[in-house]
Amino acid sequence: MKIEDLKQLISSNLENKTQEFKRVFHGRGNFYDGFNFLTVDSIDKILFASFFEKVDEEKEIIDFLEKIAIEFNFKTFIVQRRYEEKAPSEIIFGEVKSEEVAIENGLKYSINFSNKNIGIFPDMKIGREFVKENSKEKNVLNLFSYTCAFSVCAIEGGAKQVVNVDMSKGALSIGRKNHHLNNHDTKKVKFMPYNILKSWSRIKKEAPYDLIIIDPPSFQKGSFAATKDYEKIIKRLDDLASKECIVLSCLNAPELDTNFILSLFSENAPSFKYLKKLQNMETFKTNNEDKSLKNLIFEK
């Protein structure tokens, strides 16, 4: 793939842009030869490009993206350099508020471009849609909740209660803000700033849960490694689950395939039957589906 092809692809993907958060170029799936270092997102009036490696073509790509941003009436163009320490963002033109808002399926999420991860992962959109569609009157457990996007979808979908658990108090405070942005009654939402692996008794107090979401980082130094810690969560499911509980089991680790999760359930939670794998979004193209995001559905 050549730079001219990249220009045409991004322009084509922007032709029907709306306020919705949309990935308009995804190189991380290694589908486009030579551009696995780049992602480009349309976030309402903001064009946001992330470079995951330092490459010779960086300036050339930024220059043509700036022209595209102007052509498609973006008010702001931001470049993030993920390969640098703390992944700094540079405003190429326009202005950025301390906190902006991303819109997905009509719901609002607070985002902040001064953070390495801006506050919502767009590849999880289909997972969030599943949660919204399957939350009515349910008691929902959201493990590794981060900024509580799943929780927002669950409450929007009519959940009876959502329990969010994450070590980061800062992320949970943004989660509370996300609910307020969407005019939700937060009396139905609990925020637990705990290390999940050390807090099962507290989490169990709100059980039984009808829908459990497991969306951990593949690796977080000192707190979680999917290779050895994911099974510790699966082993607890029977203690936490209602009689007809649904589990959304997520993993975004290219080195671990779908069978990794299937085996964990088979060995540690055999009462849960595998139903299906949620299809990933067309905008997140990959040359190996099993190395990309895995969203698996199980039912007790």
Side-chain angles (χ1 to χ4, degrees):
M1 185 175 180
K2 297 176 182 177
I3 282 195
E4 196 56 42
D5 300 320
L6 179 64
K7 291 180 190 176
Q8 290 177 7
L9 180 62
I10 293 172
S11 293
S12 174
N13 287 339
L14 282 169
E15 281 178 2
N16 297 315
K17 81 178 183 75
T18 63
Q19 286 183 305
E20 286 271 310
F21 193 141
K22 180 186 178 184
R23 178 139 301 176
V24 292
F25 181 75
H26 184 69
R28 304 296 289 160
N30 294 304
F31 185 84
Y32 301 103
D33 286 342
F35 293 98
N36 66 326
F37 56 83
L38 179 68
T39 63
V40 184
D41 294 314
S42 170
I43 311 172
D44 193 9
K45 300 294 185 182
I46 299 170
L47 188 68
F48 179 54
S50 293
F51 288 82
F52 288 78
E53 298 171 23
K54 187 170 177 58
V55 293
D56 294 339
E57 308 96 318
E58 182 176 304
K59 186 179 184 308
E60 183 180 0
I61 292 170
I62 291 172
D63 286 347
F64 86 68
L65 285 175
E66 182 176 5
K67 290 175 184 173
I68 285 175
I70 293 167
E71 178 187 350
F72 284 91
N73 298 313
F74 287 97
K75 302 298 183 190
T76 303
F77 173 38
I78 303 170
V79 170
Q80 183 187 47
R81 294 177 175 87
R82 293 287 291 252
Y83 58 83
E84 291 187 8
E85 189 176 356
K86 296 185 179 178
S89 289
E90 177 187 1
I91 301 169
I92 305 300
F93 70 76
E95 295 179 351
V96 178
K97 302 169 195 166
S98 58
E99 285 182 307
E100 296 278 355
V101 170
I103 298 171
E104 179 188 271
N105 291 331
L107 296 173
K108 297 175 182 176
Y109 301 92
S110 175
I111 56 174
N112 189 330
F113 292 98
S114 64
N115 296 333
K116 181 177 180 180
N117 293 316
I118 64 172
I120 188 168
F121 296 104
D123 57 346
M124 194 56 82
K125 181 177 182 179
I126 289 174
R128 286 189 286 270
E129 289 173 346
F130 176 86
V131 167
K132 183 182 174 185
E133 291 163 7
N134 290 275
S135 292
K136 192 168 182 61
E137 294 303 318
K138 288 183 178 171
N139 187 23
V140 180
L141 175 61
N142 185 18
L143 296 174
F144 307 94
S145 62
Y146 187 43
T147 56
C148 307
F150 279 124
S151 180
V152 168
C153 291
I155 292 296
E156 190 69 19
K160 183 169 57 180
Q161 174 180 265
V162 184
V163 175
N164 296 292
V165 193
D166 197 283
M167 284 179 67
S168 171
K169 289 183 180 180
L172 289 174
S173 69
I174 295 168
R176 190 182 296 275
K177 182 182 295 183
N178 282 336
H179 280 289
H180 290 154
L181 279 172
N182 292 285
N183 300 313
H184 288 163
D185 179 4
T186 51
K187 290 176 185 174
K188 297 180 178 180
V189 189
K190 293 185 182 294
F191 303 92
M192 295 187 176
Y194 304 144
N195 180 329
I196 290 165
L197 299 178
K198 298 177 180 178
S199 307
W200 293 117
S201 60
R202 290 173 177 175
I203 295 168
K204 192 177 177 181
K205 283 181 181 177
E206 301 295 330
Y209 297 101
D210 309 303
L211 173 61
I212 299 174
I213 302 152
I214 310 167
D215 185 21
S218 59
F219 180 79
Q220 199 166 60
K221 191 173 181 181
S223 64
F224 190 86
T227 48
K228 65 182 182 67
D229 292 325
Y230 210 120
E231 72 173 85
K232 296 174 185 175
I233 298 165
I234 307 303
K235 285 178 178 177
R236 298 279 180 170
L237 287 177
D238 276 317
D239 290 339
L240 300 171
S242 64
K243 290 181 179 178
E244 297 179 345
C245 178
I246 296 171
V247 174
L248 169 59
S249 179
C250 314
L251 185 62
N252 199 353
E255 70 279 9
L256 299 171
D257 61 13
T258 302
N259 282 327
F260 170 76
I261 297 178
L262 293 176
S263 296
L264 290 182
F265 272 82
S266 176
E267 292 166 17
N268 301 294
S271 61
F272 286 83
K273 178 187 174 186
Y274 172 60
L275 294 184
K276 63 180 178 179
K277 179 179 178 181
L278 297 183
Q279 187 175 355
N280 285 325
M281 295 176 65
E282 179 64 26
T283 49
F284 287 79
K285 287 189 178 294
T286 177
N287 66 354
N288 187 331
E289 194 62 37
D290 218 38
K291 285 190 171 185
S292 63
L293 174 65
K294 291 159 275 287
N295 284 326
L296 307 186
I297 309 298
F298 297 84
E299 185 174 33
K300 194 168 184 182

